[in-house]
Amino acid sequence: MAAQNATVNATAKSAVCGNGSKEGGEQCDMADFDGVGCPGIGFDGGSLGCAPSCEYDVSACVSDAGSVGQDVFQAGIGGAYTFTETDDERASITLPANAFFQDLHLYLFSQSAADTLLAKPAPSGLLTDAHAYDFSFVDQDGDRVDTLQRQATLTLHYTDAEIQGIDETSLRPYHWSAGLNAWQAVSGSVVDTANNDVDFGADTFSVYMLMGAPPAAASSAATHGGGALPVSEAGVTFAGLASPGSRVTLLKDGQVAAYISAGPDGVFLLGVTGLSPGSYHFGLEMTDAGGFTGPLTMFPLTVAPGARLRVGDIVLSAPPKQETPPPMPPAASKERPSAPKPPVRGDLNGDRRVNLVDFSIAAYWHGRPACPAAVDLNGDGKVTLTDLSILAAHWTG
Amino acid sequence: MDINVPHRRTAHAAVIGLLVLCSFSALPVLAAEMSVGASVGAVASGETFEAVVSLDTQGETVNAAEGTLTYPQDMLEPLAIRDADASIDFWAVRPKIGVPGAIAFSGVAPGGFKSDEARLFEVTFRAKQDGRAAIGLTGAEALLNDGQGTAAALSTRAFTITVLPEPPQALTPAPAPTPVTAPQDMTPPEAFMPTVVKNEQPYGNRWFLVFAAQDKQSGIDRYEVREAPSGMPAALSPWVAAESPYLLRDQTRKSRVEVKAIDRSGNVRVASVTTAAPEAWYVWLLIWLMAVTVFAVVDRRFLTRLPRKRR
């Protein structure tokens, strides 16, 4: 059982706080809770109080969970929140700005695997000894919010002891579906075996828990699972959203490894296999129908032998808006040629890409006298590391 | 006493000024640091050790780094360099053993990297002479991934290793020289895709080849290129050492071009480039037919000129 201290937050209110009547924008007002008690906001029991700011005072609420953390999400700026109780109980959540239209109170309940699985049995074939985390959001009206408007990034930490007998690479986050009364796997997670973290995105909040399969079962599932990567071959898949119909390109250490067209809904999924163990600089970018390429989003990953990593919930940035010429009279528009595309900085061979070809050209002139002006990107009369850096910053692959 | 007052004030002001100066100088300076490190602080003469050059970007995203690793050549002998699995993707100046006492390097990582210990490369040294050997960095530079090539505030940290004299041979048997073995690497370099390009730079609108392979275990050692005329067995054409960019000999692009990437353990990956306009099969059939015909004619004439045996 754990009792919590109240958090009082000074939030602008449009209603009259202190008149004893709960109004819009108030979680409570004196004794008026609109029927909400501790269980209604995620606790197991206790007595809910009302702070002078007309926000809940949860100091007398109790929870069966081992530990509870709380914080306030400010809608306008978002933020990253990490809850650490002991070394083996750590969870983080990163909320983007405007993840919800108003500020929210965030409560995190942590519970041992044994207690959690008593009420919520693990799916057949899956094992876990990791803690369960229940993320609970409460809005300013005192109502629990289960779904956000923008996706949050969650990180659940695990210890080696918690995953004994489990293939670490098979670890996946699962969330408890009250409607189905069952655990549901969360897609798009990434297992960071070096730091013992699992990252994933979510916009619906309930109890989350890490589970995995024993080594043999994991191998079998990978071999026979539809679309899964062969377990003996390390690989990485990337999934997310881009502009509908845009071309999504995956770079591996600066070179094009794969590309795909995003679907009509903008969803893309692509990957690369046959990776040797080691560290990689993966990059993703999208190119729109006009041939303009957006910024490169980097994913530095360390690949273990046979690892199958998945990076999900990626949102690629669109290319910067290009200036469009003013509309022309119909008669003139036929005669005037289309406006030339602006030059791509670092593109030394004029193919509107910045890649190994351009680097090779620049590297050829690196340190040589009398380099051509076209290769000298910063105009100092020579090709130095600065020119190579400019080129690398505009890299498209 | 009166005279001392201004002196005291001056002294106080100086102390305060010093304190202020000290407090400012004590502020954490968020400068990236390029450093040399090793897992051992002392070795015996004749033994080997690894020196690692790494970069702490201090939260900045860096996409280019260069410098020169310096070492006392009378005390240390570089035996091997390993740049596999490094944070640099493309080298303009690949670190290599050549100039005595110095190993220059310069390279980039497209998109940049941010790390408190980004490994650039490592050098295997053999200690030659006892004493204290300082391995340092000169001309070190790290540039931000800001599109302008802005230099990051950078400090460098050298490493000093103590080389102990060899144990007297009378007391202990002389240790066998430490063998320098490449890391166990049975994996060939990763698949790569050479590209043929024609451009004004750097070869005056002529066709050239660019390529780069990756090997995460032992690292790429070298490249070789072979241009085999279309229709001819490739084995008849020699492999030649090459670096990217490589000016193609056959500017008609009718040759089959292959690039061989060889890692430091000797594993090989060969990638080929599709020729732009190979000779049509019937052209080669015609050439072979003509060759056979010419041979037959010559052979017949030759045979007819041979003196016939008299019966």
Side-chain angles (χ1 to χ4, degrees):
Chain A
M1 297 289 213
Q4 299 304 309
N5 296 323
T7 297
V8 179
N9 299 287
T11 311
K13 297 284 188 293
S14 56
V16 178
C17 180
N19 63 1
S21 175
K22 178 181 175 305
E23 297 159 307
E26 295 176 341
Q27 292 182 338
C28 56
D29 198 326
M30 300 177 76
D32 186 358
F33 292 89
D34 200 17
V36 175
C38 291
I41 58 172
F43 289 84
D44 294 301
S47 176
L48 186 62
C50 190
S53 60
C54 288
E55 292 175 322
Y56 290 143
D57 176 355
V58 298
S59 59
C61 286
V62 292
S63 170
D64 292 334
S67 62
V68 186
Q70 59 180 313
D71 214 319
V72 177
F73 159 68
Q74 293 178 283
I77 57 175
Y81 312 89
T82 297
F83 302 93
T84 305
E85 183 67 17
T86 60
D87 285 345
D88 64 343
E89 285 183 60
R90 188 168 77 235
S92 302
I93 182 168
T94 302
L95 291 157
N98 302 316
F100 202 67
F101 66 89
Q102 61 173 231
D103 294 357
L104 294 171
H105 287 258
L106 168 61
Y107 301 97
L108 177 70
F109 303 89
S110 163
Q111 193 170 41
S112 71
D115 290 343
T116 305
L117 295 178
L118 275 176
K120 302 177 177 68
S124 175
L126 292 179
L127 305 172
T128 186
D129 198 23
H131 282 78
Y133 295 96
D134 183 3
F135 294 87
S136 174
F137 289 103
V138 177
D139 68 12
Q140 292 176 20
D141 291 331
D143 298 322
R144 181 165 173 152
V145 174
D146 292 327
T147 304
L148 297 181
Q149 292 161 324
R150 295 186 67 187
Q151 199 167 60
T153 303
L154 279 65
T155 301
L156 302 186
H157 180 73
Y158 61 91
T159 64
D160 291 337
E162 287 177 335
I163 60 161
Q164 269 190 350
I166 298 174
D167 176 4
E168 194 171 5
T169 60
S170 76
L171 275 179
R172 298 282 180 274
Y174 286 75
H175 77 94
W176 179 255
S177 168
L180 298 173
N181 202 34
W183 291 100
Q184 300 287 300
V186 179
S187 61
S189 62
V190 177
V191 182
D192 180 352
T193 55
N195 295 310
N196 284 15
D197 287 329
V198 177
D199 300 327
F200 58 100
D203 56 10
T204 301
F205 293 89
S206 62
V207 181
Y208 282 93
M209 197 171 190
L210 298 177
M211 300 185 205
S219 302
S220 172
T223 304
H224 303 295
L229 300 170
V231 71
S232 59
E233 207 175 57
V236 185
T237 55
F238 297 85
L241 284 173
S243 295
S246 63
R247 176 172 145 147
V248 178
T249 305
L250 170 64
L251 304 186
K252 175 171 72 73
D253 290 335
Q255 298 196 69
V256 175
Y259 56 83
I260 197 170
S261 292
D265 52 359
V267 172
F268 69 85
L269 172 68
L270 78 173
V272 59
T273 59
L275 299 176
S276 305
S279 301
Y280 290 86
H281 293 146
F282 290 103
L284 279 173
E285 65 188 6
M286 60 172 280
T287 304
D288 65 15
F292 295 102
T293 301
L296 193 58
T297 305
M298 298 304 295
F299 299 90
L301 293 175
T302 298
V303 177
R308 293 155 293 133
L309 303 179
R310 292 185 297 159
V311 183
D313 305 314
I314 301 162
V315 179
L316 291 181
S317 303
K321 293 285 182 190
Q322 305 296 325
E323 288 184 13
T324 52
M328 293 174 289
S333 63
K334 290 180 182 174
E335 296 168 6
R336 187 193 282 187
S338 58
K341 290 180 178 177
V344 177
R345 197 158 192 215
D347 173 23
L348 304 183
N349 67 332
D351 65 351
R352 304 196 61 73
R353 308 287 299 173
V354 183
N355 52 25
L356 184 61
V357 174
D358 307 285
F359 175 78
S360 292
I361 293 170
Y364 174 87
W365 288 107
H366 180 258
R368 296 188 187 214
C371 72
V375 184
D376 177 18
L377 295 175
N378 66 339
D380 65 351
K382 54 193 173 184
V383 174
T384 63
L385 190 68
T386 306
D387 302 283
L388 300 179
S389 172
I390 293 170
L391 196 146
H394 293 87
W395 199 270
T396 62
Chain B
M1 292 291 286
D2 290 343
I3 298 171
N4 287 338
V5 173
H7 278 271
R8 271 190 203 147
R9 281 183 183 161
T10 308
H12 287 167
V15 169
I16 290 168
L18 195 62
L19 286 173
V20 169
L21 195 65
C22 289
S23 64
F24 275 109
S25 63
L27 287 174
V29 179
L30 294 176
E33 183 184 69
M34 194 182 290
S35 61
V36 187
S39 58
V40 293
V43 293
S45 182
E47 287 185 336
T48 61
F49 66 96
E50 311 280 339
V52 180
V53 180
S54 58
L55 180 65
D56 177 358
T57 66
Q58 283 286 353
E60 300 276 15
T61 301
V62 165
N63 71 3
E66 72 177 13
T68 301
L69 183 78
T70 59
Y71 59 92
Q73 52 180 311
D74 55 335
M75 297 183 69
L76 301 176
E77 177 191 7
L79 300 177
I81 293 177
R82 184 173 181 269
D83 60 6
D85 209 14
S87 294
I88 297 295
D89 293 325
F90 302 112
W91 293 104
V93 179
R94 192 179 205 94
K96 62 180 180 184
I97 300 167
V99 179
I103 297 170
F105 59 94
S106 179
V108 300
F113 58 88
K114 186 162 51 174
S115 169
D116 56 3
E117 197 176 2
R119 208 175 55 78
L120 302 182
F121 63 97
E122 62 190 53
V123 185
T124 304
F125 283 107
R126 186 198 302 276
K128 292 161 56 178
Q129 180 185 316
D130 59 300
R132 286 174 63 77
I135 307 171
L137 289 159
T138 60
E141 201 171 8
L143 306 187
L144 302 178
N145 187 51
D146 62 356
Q148 305 299 322
T150 306
L154 183 72
S155 62
T156 59
R157 184 158 50 90
F159 173 75
T160 301
I161 192 161
T162 302
V163 181
L164 304 169
E166 281 186 80
Q169 292 189 357
L171 299 176
T172 53
T178 312
V180 178
T181 54
Q184 187 70 23
D185 176 16
M186 306 294 285
T187 310
E190 292 179 20
F192 66 109
M193 196 163 59
T195 308
V196 175
V197 191
K198 188 179 190 181
N199 190 59
E200 179 58 35
Q201 294 300 331
Y203 296 118
N205 230 20
R206 288 187 288 171
W207 291 103
F208 61 95
L209 191 63
V210 299
F211 47 83
Q214 299 283 342
D215 187 274
K216 299 292 179 183
Q217 273 72 50
S218 58
I220 297 294
D221 181 52
R222 64 188 188 278
Y223 296 95
E224 294 176 358
V225 170
R226 175 164 73 184
E227 294 182 67
S230 176
M232 300 294 287
L236 296 178
S237 302
W239 288 101
V240 294
E243 288 185 355
S244 178
Y246 174 83
L247 179 65
L248 290 173
R249 292 177 183 173
D250 179 9
Q251 288 292 310
T252 66
R253 291 202 59 207
K254 290 178 178 176
S255 295
R256 181 171 184 241
V257 179
E258 293 175 297
V259 182
K260 183 194 286 184
I262 306 154
D263 69 20
R264 294 185 198 274
S265 295
N267 301 302
V268 169
R269 171 81 68 178
V270 176
S272 58
V273 184
T274 308
T275 51
E279 298 288 9
W281 63 271
Y282 51 83
V283 173
W284 286 105
L285 181 63
L286 196 64
I287 291 171
W288 279 105
L289 281 175
M290 287 174 65
V292 169
T293 305
V294 168
F295 177 77
V297 169
V298 170
D299 186 52
R300 196 170 192 177
R301 286 182 180 172
F302 178 73
L303 289 175
T304 53
R305 287 182 184 176
L306 284 176
R308 295 179 180 176
K309 289 182 181 177
R310 292 180 182 176
R311 291 182 179 178

